Amino acid sequence: MKSAAELEAEGRAHLEAGRPEEAERCARQALADGGGAVGLWHLLAVALRIQGRVGESLDIYTLMADRLPGNLTIRFELAELLLLMGEFERGWREYRYRYNMVHTMPLERRMQRPRWDGRPIPGKTLLIHDEQGYGDTFQFLRMVAWAKRRSQARIVLQINHEQVGFARRLTGMDWGRADELVLRGSLPPPFDAHCEMMSLPMAMGLQLSDLPGLDREWAPYLAADPVRVKRWGRRLKSLPRPLVGLVWAGRPTHLNDANRSMALDRLAPLASTGTTFLALQKGPAADQASTPPRGMRIERLSDAIADFEDTAAILTHADLLVSVDSAPVHLAGALGRPAWVMLPHVPDWRWLLGRADTPWYPTLRLFRQPARGDWDGVIREVAEGLRGLEGERRG
């Protein structure tokens, strides 16, 4: 008979190999045999979550967090599960632990001023600094103007070089007069309070009903560079429509990339939809556009795309973006451009569960795997939608 430790090790190997059902079996067997170590309960919670049994997983995470409040990894994973289920109030509170784990502590920026708690601080200066990935910044830039209104403070936004142009065009801000932009890595001016961009929801008590996707008066909060828009208009004007941007893989170093990305060949059913695809893919997967599926009309643009400013300009001219969960999706949503997002069965927390729309961006449509790993079902649905798009255009 295998020991609890052996069963746990076997279960974790099953998880790494993409077999959560077997991982669950190992965890349950060890627990039934008298094992009660936190590692086994954690293994079971992760295995259930991957299978899409999020309610069962949440029960275990809640129990573990209550009994082991100092286990910050468990609390962070609990936060993502709560946010996935739309339980924002507790989810944002738990999400603050993202920089308290051993492997994330080096990423935290230490500040000598208090973190803003959401109350008005008129006459004071509030430093907001971006964090994490490009998609996160595109998504949460909208909250900078909200924080300005709530705090009644002067805003200093510290942001990475790649996205500073978008920040300059952010609606609701007064850069160069009341507010100031500084680049990450440079010394900000004196400030009275600070807040990470993704801690703004906690500070402001963000609820689902507060999101622009549920607001009839919602408007795009980012804009493309007019110079780039004109340049790409000249480049794309001779291509037959509809023009559909295409991204099939995310950042390879992302922890969940194997679950959210695919090869271009997998999208072969889209070749028969009468669409001109604009390959916006960057990174190692971009080379796949040189040998697309048979019959797919695709323009490889990656070599001409210098940065997200080019991507934004292209999206301004495209009829649609079809993409896996990636930064261009958030850019399209922030620009108010239409995008179809191909999601795994259990997606990243920001896409919630069981809905084809998203309250974050009213111009996005979500295509979810009906079962774990079933990209074929998603691709068939996207292909049908594209044929309908072509029919509408001809009609």
Side-chain angles (χ1 to χ4, degrees), residues 1-16:
M1 178 179 293
K2 295 178 180 178
S3 67
E6 290 172 327
L7 285 167
E8 182 179 345
E10 181 181 336
R12 296 202 177 281
H14 283 307
L15 272 186
E16 292 180 5

Side-chain angles (χ1 to χ4, degrees), residues 14 71 119 122 126 218-219 230 263 267 274 292 299 377:
H14 283 307
N71 190 318
R119 287 181 290 187
L126 171 61
W218 184 89
K230 290 181 180 179
L267 296 171
E299 291 287 321

